Amino acid sequence: MEKDILHEIIAQKRTEIARQKEVVSEAELEKMLDGNLAEGYSMKASLAASPTGIIAEFKRRSPSKGWIHKEAKPADVAAGYQHAGAAALSVLTDEPFFGGTLKDLTEIRKAVHLPILRKDFIISRYQLLQAKWARADAVLLIAAALTPSECRKLAEEAHKLKLEVLLELHTEKELDSYNEFVDLTGINNRNLGTFHTDIENSFRMAEILPGNTLHVSESGISSPETVSNLRKAGYRGFLMGEAFMRTSDPGKALSEFHQVLRRYLLSY
């Protein structure tokens, strides 16, 4: 039987949130926001307007592959991504499994004027408040980690905080988690239970996704040709991290990727 990594991550996340609340309660966190619920940058609008739609990710490590870029400096990487033409940024804020923190997100927010997605395993309103405090613009909700009713409740709460919602799906069954508060629908090509990756998952799911959201393909994307083909299938956002973060200069890697991708896109 394959190990269910997602189950382990969620169990750890519940413990982590309980400890964080002992330091700063939910009421205290709300007070820290002081009613500052201004609209941020729209990731949906940015991706819709972008000719390439790359969501460049700041990611230090992964549970399946270990350290990717341990010493990466958040602000430097993010500035490089922005200069290279990223449409939006994704910042992993899970520390035990991905080596990220909310501090990474706050540092990146100061360095760029792009939409920022807080990418984490969100199971609590408390995490939404954290995301708003760190000045994220959007949050990830993972259908495999939540019930449909939990997805709806958290998505509605996110909208109250002026955060956009990217709902991540992996299978057709998870479409039950879609609701009216979802702004972007993401298809994860990686099974979060086993971490097996299959890019064909995005192509399989393309025709059954809700038509009134912007579609994002996530994980396992490394070639401009794949992005070009996914755009033909209807996707407008492409979340990429490892392909750039494994290099010494992620921003330069994105710039070079864009150069090749634009040639593919001009060909059709």
Side-chain angles (χ1 to χ4, degrees):
M1 182 176 178
E2 293 177 306
K3 182 180 180 182
D4 188 340
I5 303 174
L6 180 60
H7 180 79
E8 183 181 348
I9 291 173
I10 295 303
Q12 171 68 33
K13 192 61 58 178
R14 294 189 192 285
T15 301
E16 179 185 309
I17 293 168
R19 288 174 180 167
Q20 289 171 343
K21 285 183 175 180
E22 289 176 359
V23 179
V24 180
S25 70
E26 189 163 324
E28 289 172 320
L29 188 51
E30 286 194 88
K31 189 174 181 181
M32 287 165 62
L33 283 174
D34 194 27
N36 182 16
L37 302 180
E39 296 274 359
Y41 297 100
S42 171
M43 188 164 77
K44 183 177 182 179
S46 183
L47 292 174
S50 172
T52 55
I54 302 298
I55 306 169
E57 186 162 83
F58 182 80
K59 177 180 182 179
R60 287 197 177 91
R61 73 183 300 269
S62 81
S64 59
K65 299 180 181 178
W67 289 105
I68 297 166
H69 198 148
K70 189 174 184 178
E71 304 304 325
K73 292 180 169 51
D76 292 347
V77 171
Y81 280 155
Q82 178 172 266
H83 182 72
L89 302 181
S90 169
V91 183
L92 273 153
T93 58
D94 173 83
E95 188 166 12
F97 295 89
F98 291 88
T101 65
L102 271 175
K103 186 178 179 222
D104 292 337
L105 200 156
T106 59
E107 288 182 17
I108 287 173
R109 174 75 288 160
K110 293 174 185 176
V112 300
H113 50 78
L114 292 173
I116 299 176
L117 170 74
R118 181 188 184 185
K119 191 177 181 187
D120 208 318
F121 298 84
I122 291 180
I123 56 174
S124 163
R125 180 176 180 269
Y126 186 80
Q127 293 164 289
L128 300 178
L129 292 169
Q130 288 178 320
K132 191 64 180 181
W133 175 82
R135 295 179 62 202
D137 304 291
V139 291
L140 180 74
L141 297 182
I142 303 171
L146 301 161
T147 66
S149 62
E150 288 171 336
C151 271
R152 190 183 189 284
K153 183 177 180 180
L154 287 170
E156 183 176 12
E157 287 294 328
H159 271 204
K160 288 178 182 177
L161 293 170
K162 302 292 179 21
L163 293 165
E164 288 187 335
V165 174
L166 169 58
L167 175 65
E168 177 179 292
L169 311 173
H170 181 71
T171 66
E172 182 175 352
K173 182 180 178 181
E174 291 170 354
L175 280 167
D176 291 346
S177 292
Y178 175 77
N179 60 75
E180 68 268 34
F181 301 105
V182 171
D183 302 287
L184 309 101
T185 307
I187 296 302
N188 197 344
N189 301 310
R190 181 172 291 127
N191 183 312
L192 290 177
T194 64
F195 272 65
H196 171 71
T197 302
D198 178 13
I199 194 70
E200 290 301 316
N201 196 46
S202 282
F203 293 103
R204 284 192 294 266
M205 294 285 287
E207 294 185 5
I208 61 173
L209 294 179
N212 58 338
T213 66
L214 188 139
H215 302 161
V216 177
S217 180
E218 310 170 29
S219 302
I221 305 169
S222 59
S223 79
E225 182 178 13
T226 298
V227 172
S228 177
N229 289 334
L230 285 166
R231 285 189 73 88
K232 292 175 187 176
Y235 291 91
R236 288 297 175 266
F238 312 93
L239 199 154
M240 299 179 60
E242 282 187 33
F244 307 137
M245 291 297 297
R246 285 198 178 280
T247 70
S248 59
D249 188 339
K252 182 181 177 183
L254 172 56
S255 181
E256 292 171 349
F257 186 92
H258 265 150
Q259 289 175 25
V260 180
L261 175 58
R262 289 187 181 102
R263 289 200 290 272
Y264 273 101
L265 298 178
L266 285 171
S267 69
Y268 74 89

